[in-house]
Amino acid sequence: MASEGPRARHVAIIMDGNGRWAKAKHLPRVMGHRQGVEAVRKLVRAVEAMGLECLTLYAFSSENWKRPEDEIDDLMNLMRKFIKSDLPEFIANDVRLKIIGDWRGLAPDIVAMLDDALAQTAHGRHTLAVALNYGSQQEIARAATAAAAEGEITPESIAAHLDTADLPPLDLLIRTSGEVRLSNFLLWQCAYAEMIFTDVLWPDFTPAHLQAALDDFAGRERRYGGR
Ligand code: FPP
C-alpha cells in the first residue's frame, strides 16, 4: 500500500453503470440499482478504516428526472429503503449524513425521512454526503446569488455558499463505467481535484477498488498551478 504522498480527505464518486450491469446479466434495470445500493452500503462500512473524512456520492441528478417514471419511482423507493434500513448503522458507526442539491424538492415523505436522519446523525465524525436532485451549475448559481446579496462576488464568497461549504476540499473524483465526463457534478469543487475513471460498473465497485484509487492518489504530485 502506498503510504507516501498526499492522503485523501474527501473523495466523490459518480456511480455509473447500474443499467449496463443489469443488462449484461439479462436482469431488469432496477436490479442494477438495487445492487448499486449494496455497493454503497459496503463502501460506507469501509471508509472509516480507510481514514477518509468525507465520501460524496452522486445518487440522483437534477437531469435524472428525464428518465422514465417507473425508473424514477424505483430509485426513490430504493432511497426510502436505504435510509430506513441503514440509519441505525450510521448512528452506531459515527457517520454524519449530509445531503447536497435541491433535495427539499423531493417527495414530502423523503424530505421528512432525510430531515430526521440528518438530525440523528448530526454529530457523526465521518461524513457521507449524498447528492440528491443535484446539479452543479444550479448550485453555483444559487451560491453566486447568495454571495451577491451579501456583497462582492469572489471565488471565496461563492465557495462559502456552496452546498459543500462545510466539507474538506475535494481531493479525488472517481467515475465508474468508462464514461469520461463530469455530468454536472461538483464542477467548482473539481478545480484542483485528481480524477480517476475506471471501467468497473458501479454494482461491481468494492472497497478494494476504492483503496486502489486512494493508493493511486497517494502517488500523485499535486501542484495547484505551481511547479
Ligand atoms: C447510474 O447508472 C446510476 C444512477 C443514475 C443512480 C445511482 C444510484 C444508486 C447507486 C442507488 C441509490 C443510491 C443510494 C445512496 C441509496 P445508470 O442507470 O445510468 O447506468 P447505465 O449508464 O449503465 O444505464
Side-chain angles (χ1 to χ4, degrees):
M1 198 182 104
S3 55
E4 301 294 314
R7 188 177 68 81
R9 298 172 65 197
H10 183 181
V11 174
I13 308 183
I14 302 177
M15 309 181 288
D16 197 7
N18 295 349
R20 275 163 284 169
W21 183 93
K23 193 170 180 190
K25 294 186 154 42
H26 308 286
L27 294 168
R29 280 182 76 81
V30 65
M31 294 303 289
H33 293 315
R34 216 177 277 175
Q35 213 46 47
V37 175
E38 270 316 305
V40 168
R41 189 169 280 135
K42 286 185 188 134
L43 213 58
V44 174
R45 284 177 184 154
V47 290
E48 185 182 359
M50 293 179 186
L52 271 186
E53 287 170 47
C54 181
L55 177 69
T56 299
L57 302 175
Y58 204 5
F60 194 86
S61 78
S62 40
E63 288 74 33
N64 284 155
W65 295 111
K66 295 179 202 148
R67 295 195 175 203
E69 210 174 307
D70 59 344
E71 183 173 358
I72 294 172
D73 286 348
D74 287 339
L75 284 167
M76 293 301 155
N77 284 332
L78 283 171
M79 201 63 63
R80 288 182 176 94
K81 263 198 216 157
F82 177 68
I83 302 160
K84 209 170 183 178
S85 61
D86 287 44
L87 180 59
E89 198 173 315
F90 292 166
I91 297 167
N93 294 339
D94 230 1
V95 173
R96 176 178 81 115
L97 183 68
K98 180 180 168 76
I99 311 293
I100 62 171
D102 286 323
W103 61 279
R104 293 205 171 271
L106 297 176
D109 70 302
I110 298 187
V111 173
M113 282 175 92
L114 289 173
D115 265 328
D116 175 53
L118 292 173
Q120 292 207 55
T121 61
H123 303 293
R125 279 189 308 134
H126 311 274
T127 302
L128 171 66
V130 181
L132 287 178
N133 197 16
Y134 176 87
S136 184
Q137 292 176 336
Q138 294 88 325
E139 179 197 25
I140 294 168
R142 267 191 277 114
T145 305
E150 284 176 7
E152 208 186 339
I153 298 186
T154 63
E156 293 74 24
S157 70
I158 290 177
H161 286 96
L162 292 172
D163 296 356
T164 54
D166 61 334
L167 301 179
L170 181 62
D171 294 306
L172 175 63
L173 176 101
I174 300 170
R175 183 172 187 145
T176 59
S177 94
E179 310 294 342
V180 184
R181 55 177 173 264
L182 292 178
S183 300
N184 205 14
F185 189 49
L186 302 180
L187 304 179
W188 183 285
Q189 296 84 343
C190 277
Y192 287 105
E194 297 291 322
M195 297 189 187
I196 291 178
F197 298 92
T198 168
D199 287 339
V200 175
L201 302 174
W202 177 251
D204 291 329
F205 193 87
T206 64
H209 290 111
L210 178 59
Q211 187 58 60
L214 293 174
D215 291 348
D216 179 334
F217 175 86
R220 295 187 183 195
E221 187 191 349
R222 304 183 82 195
R223 293 191 180 169
Y224 301 96
R227 50 181 304 222

